Amino acid sequence: MKQPIGVIDSGVGGLTVARELMRQLPKETFIYLGDTKRCPYGPRSEEEVRAFTWQMVNYLLKKDIKMLVIACNTATAYTLEELQETLHIPVIGVIEPGARAAIKFSQNRRIGVIGTEGTIESEAYPNALVSIDQKIRVNSLACPPFVPMVEEGTLSGPQAEKIVAETLKPLKDMNHIDTLILGCTHYPIIKDLIQQEMGTHIQVISSGEETAREASLILAYHKALEVDEAQPQHEFYTTGDIEKFRLVANNWFDEPVRVLKFVELEHVPSSAY
């Protein structure tokens, strides 16, 4: 029996990472859990995000996962180190892979970061970028409207364009960056709108590809890559509306996604986090 890889997110955004993981690791089985009922995580306190993340992690640990991918920037910022120190399986987030990709593409070392309030306030991206290259200059902008519009399926049209234009105006006015990190895994779903608003001269970076590459390298190092040629049977779970989740998922994947069920996450004792 294939041992699966767990992927968690605050909602549907992590599907952008899951799709890239499935593309680069086609033999692996993935179990995805999106906490759509309590999305977005960005405005929530660090304590809440940590509690919710641990609830998702404990649910997936019962399914004997061999690796955990935190496909949520806010959860990565607040819980990655703790999970890596606590769990006995490899745990990777999306922030460091995204930072590395941005540095690779930037020509003038001026990088923009957009994300949820929590991710921006944590300064996780500036810290990750400067730890690699101290000459990097970072302009960050919280974009609270983006996650709700993605979760609601407002992905195109005049209303979506207006929201994106108004939200990105402060960053666009700075006019110095040549690279923009989508510091939330929901944002690649509206990447075309963001690219259109920022202009073609801006390199827009999402962390999915680099995160998948890192997962592959870590599995190879641990000799845990799947060799079974049998078609993997992925599992998708949500804590919220199944039909909404399925609608966004089917728009993002090349084939219909089978959402197994609504999940009611158990309370986690405070001693667990």
Side-chain angles (χ1 to χ4, degrees), residues 57-123:
V57 170
N58 285 340
Y59 181 85
L60 290 184
L61 288 176
K62 293 175 183 177
K63 295 183 175 293
D64 192 31
I65 58 174
K66 64 180 178 182
M67 169 182 274
L68 175 68
V69 179
I70 311 173
C72 172
N73 285 268
T74 307
T76 298
Y78 290 149
T79 70
L80 178 62
E81 289 185 14
E82 181 181 2
L83 288 167
Q84 288 176 330
E85 292 171 0
T86 306
L87 301 184
H88 300 294
I89 58 173
V91 182
I92 63 175
V94 288
I95 290 175
E96 289 189 2
R100 287 195 296 270
I103 287 175
K104 182 169 66 177
F105 284 103
S106 180
Q107 298 296 312
N108 67 3
R109 289 175 166 165
R110 291 182 177 271
I111 295 173
V113 179
I114 57 175
T116 66
E117 300 99 309
T119 299
I120 299 303
E121 288 173 8
S122 75
E123 296 191 346

Side-chain angles (χ1 to χ4, degrees), residues 53 67 91 104 180 222 231 251:
T53 302
M67 169 182 274
V91 182
K104 182 169 66 177
L180 177 65
H222 288 282
Q231 183 71 20
N251 283 335

Side-chain angles (χ1 to χ4, degrees), residues 32-53:
Y32 182 96
L33 173 55
D35 190 11
T36 50
K37 182 179 180 180
R38 299 181 295 199
C39 185
Y41 278 12
R44 296 186 180 276
S45 68
E46 179 176 348
E47 183 179 358
E48 274 188 307
V49 173
R50 289 174 63 224
F52 295 167
T53 302

Side-chain angles (χ1 to χ4, degrees), residues 186-207:
H186 282 74
Y187 296 179
I189 295 176
I190 53 170
K191 181 179 179 180
D192 289 347
L193 290 175
I194 294 169
Q195 184 77 72
Q196 175 183 306
E197 184 59 30
M198 293 301 296
T200 55
H201 62 291
I202 302 294
Q203 180 71 47
V204 178
I205 301 294
S206 57
S207 57

Side-chain angles (χ1 to χ4, degrees), residues 4-22:
I5 296 169
V7 183
I8 59 173
D9 182 55
S10 62
V12 299
L15 294 171
T16 63
V17 177
R19 186 176 75 166
E20 188 61 31
L21 285 163
M22 292 173 191

